[in-house]
Amino acid sequence: MRMGMGDGSGVRLSYRTAGEGPALVVIHGGPGYEKALMYPGFDALSSDLKVVYYDQRGCGSSEALSASTPMEVSDHVEDLEALRRYLRLPQISIAAHGWGAVIALGYCLEYGRNVNSLILITPISPFL
């Protein structure tokens, strides 16, 4: 298991990895939730996968944000790409819950070449 602060797109993101193998990035819901809520459902997969959790910008243990820090979906998408590069993950699968599905879909539209598979868990609509 590894925990640390990684580079997002202009912010520091708290992350935790468990296991070895192909990478599965777990994106928590919210906005405002934190990565620890996802451990009970996904830690069991660490016997076969490298499970990567991260707190989105301004959430959980990630860097606190000022009122002027951007919070658009595109900022979250760029955070995920920056974290993927920081952790040196050539390809990722994504499991995203609730609001995290909006980030995941945005990421797939922008960086689909880096995505092996996508799982959406009770997603919210990105069009609301």
Side-chain angles (χ1 to χ4, degrees):
M1 190 172 310
R2 177 178 159 201
M3 295 181 80
M5 292 291 279
D7 290 329
S9 179
V11 297
R12 302 283 290 160
L13 301 175
S14 173
Y15 70 88
R16 174 183 180 251
T17 65
E20 295 296 326
L24 172 67
V25 176
V26 179
I27 306 176
H28 65 77
Y33 294 171
E34 60 181 50
K35 65 185 178 298
L37 295 172
M38 305 303 281
Y39 299 166
F42 288 92
D43 269 355
L45 299 176
S46 66
S47 61
D48 298 310
L49 300 169
K50 180 177 196 165
V51 183
V52 178
Y53 307 89
Y54 75 100
D55 285 329
Q56 297 161 21
R57 59 176 43 216
C59 295
S61 299
S62 285
E63 179 181 358
L65 304 178
S66 70
S68 63
T69 303
M71 287 286 285
E72 301 292 326
V73 172
S74 61
D75 299 306
H76 288 279
V77 167
E78 293 307 316
D79 287 345
L80 178 52
E81 174 59 8
L83 185 64
R84 183 194 67 80
R85 288 191 317 263
Y86 177 83
L87 294 174
R88 297 184 178 136
L89 304 172
Q91 293 270 293
I92 59 174
S93 292
I94 299 172
H97 175 260
W99 154 252
V102 175
I103 298 169
L105 290 170
Y107 185 84
C108 288
L109 288 171
E110 188 68 28
Y111 296 103
R113 65 190 173 277
N114 301 330
V115 179
N116 288 324
S117 60
L118 174 65
I119 302 165
L120 303 178
I121 306 155
T122 60
I124 65 169
S125 172
F127 304 109
L128 295 177

